[in-house]
Amino acid sequence: MPTPVLMPALSPTMEEGTLAKWHVKKGDTVSAGDVIAEIETDKATMEVEAVDEGRIARILVEEGTEGVPVNKPIAVLLEEGESEDALEGYDPSGDAPASASSKEAGGKGEKSPAEEKNPEPKKPEPKATSTRKEPVPDTGGKAPPAPETEKGERVFASPLARRIAAQQGIDLAAISGSGPRGRIVKADIEGAPKGAAKKPAAQTSDATASGPMPSIDPRAFYDKDSYEEVPLDGMRKTIARRLTQSMQEIPHFYLTIDCELDELLVARKKLNEEAGEGVKLSVNDFLIRAAALALMKVPDANVSFAGNALLKHKSADIGIAVALDGGLITPIIRGAQKKGLAEISEEVKSLAARARDKKLKPAEYEGGSFSISNLGMFGIKHFTGVINPPQAAILAVGKGEERPVVKNGKLEIANVMTVTMSCDHRAIDGALGAQFLEAFKSFVEYPARMLL
């Protein structure tokens, strides 16, 4: 039976992407795990692997097509030995995780052999966990929507695997996938226990998180000849949506503190003079380590708000804002509290370079427990950052400069840097944020503490 190749969700937040390049053409034979295409998201370019074996029967989306929605069919596979006659009357969109309106189209396509023989399993299930048995729905030859685990997490499975599981009464949530990124494929279904009782889907609210409400259209205030309209690319759309969501949903508050940099600058100079070739520590490298150690010293600030709970992170995963053409991205230094300055410096340079080339993997820029945004190199003295969910705080770093300070009743000159911490008030209170900044300041002003 024909099997659609769907536009994959390369990250939990991905909604659409650009099909940048095909690595296969019509008639090519592919196996599970073969690279078949390249997809550009708002953050990176990723390779797409086949999740089923077969022959490419149709290319549905051409190279360079932008705005391809997740789960839209982009190609069609035929099984080995299957002729193109099987494509007659076949609608690949019916095999995508579909909307409810697709049910009416179920009878248009031909039924599969398995469906003809066993349209609806009637044998009692051997070990149902409830007194009421849920019948296997008639799929009309099409793959049912992707199932979810008890925690509401999506179970990733190929359309063919979902279709076979629906026909044979197999609970996909109980199967471990062997395909790319743990996806369940046809081979995983073979030999799986049949007739396992399927649990009813959890009730969900019809109200889903939506984008910001339309604001006043600024075009109404200007003559058409007075401006040039530049369409938003995928990155700018994502930035607009996510940061609007952050400001609407997260109650931000801000804490500001000044840090003296004199000892840090002396330590940096000495270390760079003694370091090996290719090692050049930046002030930002020190700040990353200082933030990581401060999070370990004040672990209650290393959290994410999860609705009915706080997630207390065991590691300090520090995101670093990197400016790109037309946007920004925040690659993450994982386990920064365990890494020395040289290792942090090398990793930052590598992540920043690959970020600008759009070569980062989603795991390298998603998640994290804290972020740092540094605009000091542009001469900015003070600013506030917007929290990047699911994190609960971001530190905005200003320019280090000579300022007059009072020490022991005397006026002196010191190199001073202003930092402002944006906090999610649902997770971090004022006193807790102040404790974090106090710890951060102590590491910055006396860098030797970072060695303890």
Side-chain angles (χ1 to χ4, degrees):
M1 64 184 73
T3 303
V5 179
L6 305 180
M7 182 70 168
L10 302 178
S11 72
T13 58
M14 178 177 169
E15 296 180 356
E16 61 181 29
T18 298
L19 205 160
K21 182 179 180 181
W22 279 108
H23 287 273
V24 295
K25 60 183 183 298
K26 181 178 178 180
D28 286 354
T29 300
V30 298
S31 300
D34 289 351
V35 176
I36 60 172
E38 291 181 10
I39 302 296
E40 287 183 3
T41 69
D42 57 302
K43 302 290 187 182
T45 300
M46 300 288 292
E47 293 180 338
V48 177
E49 299 176 350
V51 295
D52 287 307
E53 59 184 18
R55 175 168 53 87
I56 301 293
R58 287 180 184 171
I59 299 290
L60 302 176
V61 178
E62 297 299 324
E63 288 185 1
T65 303
E66 299 179 354
V68 183
V70 168
N71 286 329
K72 177 179 179 179
I74 58 176
V76 177
L77 282 178
L78 288 176
E79 295 182 358
E80 184 179 355
E82 193 172 18
S83 72
E84 294 199 9
D85 293 341
L87 296 174
E88 185 176 349
Y90 173 70
D91 179 11
S93 62
D95 279 341
S99 61
S101 61
S102 64
K103 290 181 180 179
E104 296 180 2
K108 293 182 180 179
E110 295 182 4
K111 293 186 177 181
S112 65
E115 196 177 19
E116 290 286 351
K117 294 178 182 178
N118 187 17
E120 185 173 340
K122 297 180 180 178
K123 291 184 179 180
E125 297 171 356
K127 210 171 184 180
T129 56
S130 67
T131 57
R132 182 180 172 185
K133 176 186 162 185
E134 295 292 334
V136 177
D138 183 0
T139 64
K142 300 180 180 183
E148 295 182 349
T149 65
E150 290 180 343
K151 297 180 179 180
E153 299 171 349
R154 180 182 171 189
V155 176
F156 289 94
S158 70
L160 180 58
R162 293 201 308 272
R163 192 180 335 171
I164 296 174
Q167 293 166 356
Q168 298 183 0
I170 296 174
D171 186 359
L172 288 175
I175 298 176
S176 297
S178 61
R181 300 180 182 87
R183 193 165 187 168
I184 299 172
V185 296
K186 177 183 176 183
D188 300 319
I189 302 297
E190 297 172 353
K194 301 180 181 179
K198 293 188 179 181
K199 299 176 182 179
Q203 295 291 326
T204 57
S205 171
D206 290 336
T208 58
S210 59
M213 294 296 292
S215 59
I216 297 174
D217 190 344
R219 298 178 186 87
F221 298 89
Y222 305 101
D223 293 332
K224 289 185 177 180
D225 296 335
S226 68
Y227 61 84
E228 177 187 359
E229 185 167 327
V230 180
L232 298 183
D233 60 13
M235 176 180 291
R236 182 51 58 184
K237 288 178 182 177
T238 299
I239 291 172
R241 184 183 70 253
R242 286 181 56 79
L243 296 190
T244 300
Q245 179 186 16
S246 175
M247 293 301 292
Q248 288 178 338
E249 296 182 1
I250 298 177
H252 287 58
F253 75 94
Y254 310 96
L255 300 172
T256 300
I257 197 169
D258 290 336
C259 302
E260 294 186 17
L261 296 174
D262 293 304
E263 290 199 31
L264 186 150
L265 294 175
V266 171
R268 172 177 175 259
K269 182 179 179 181
K270 289 182 178 179
L271 288 173
N272 280 335
E273 289 174 350
E274 298 175 4
E277 186 177 351
V279 177
K280 187 176 181 181
L281 303 177
S282 69
V283 171
N284 219 42
D285 299 331
F286 283 84
L287 302 184
I288 294 169
R289 180 155 174 77
L293 294 177
L295 288 173
M296 293 296 99
K297 189 173 182 179
V298 188
D300 287 344
N302 193 28
V303 295
S304 293
F305 180 78
N308 59 355
L310 293 180
L311 308 183
K312 294 186 68 173
H313 302 291
K314 299 177 181 178
S315 179
D317 299 333
I318 309 294
I320 309 301
V322 175
L324 306 176
D325 290 338
L328 75 158
I329 192 172
T330 311
I332 297 169
I333 308 295
R334 305 280 180 184
Q337 80 280 6
K338 301 177 182 178
K339 297 176 179 178
L341 291 168
E343 186 177 0
I344 289 173
S345 178
E346 182 180 355
E347 190 169 343
V348 167
K349 291 182 178 69
S350 173
L351 288 170
R354 287 187 288 118
R356 295 186 180 101
D357 292 336
K358 285 198 166 185
K359 296 298 183 183
L360 289 178
K361 299 176 181 177
E364 294 176 311
Y365 59 80
E366 293 185 335
S369 61
F370 191 87
S371 285
I372 295 176
S373 179
N374 191 339
L375 293 178
M377 67 286 293
F378 298 105
I380 302 301
K381 295 182 179 182
H382 170 264
F383 69 104
T384 58
V386 180
I387 296 171
N388 184 26
Q391 300 170 16
I394 182 171
L395 192 69
V397 179
K399 176 185 179 181
E401 60 182 358
E402 289 186 339
R403 299 181 195 172
V405 297
V406 177
K407 294 184 179 181
N408 300 320
K410 296 180 180 179
L411 189 64
E412 298 182 9
I413 300 297
N415 284 285
V416 180
M417 168 188 72
T418 299
V419 300
T420 298
M421 181 180 179
S422 304
C423 304
D424 182 346
H425 216 324
R426 301 171 302 177
I428 300 175
D429 294 322
L432 179 59
Q435 291 174 33
F436 168 83
L437 286 178
E438 183 181 34
F440 175 80
K441 178 183 174 77
S442 72
F443 288 120
V444 171
E445 294 191 340
Y446 188 36
R449 284 195 178 96
M450 298 189 197
L451 301 176
L452 297 177

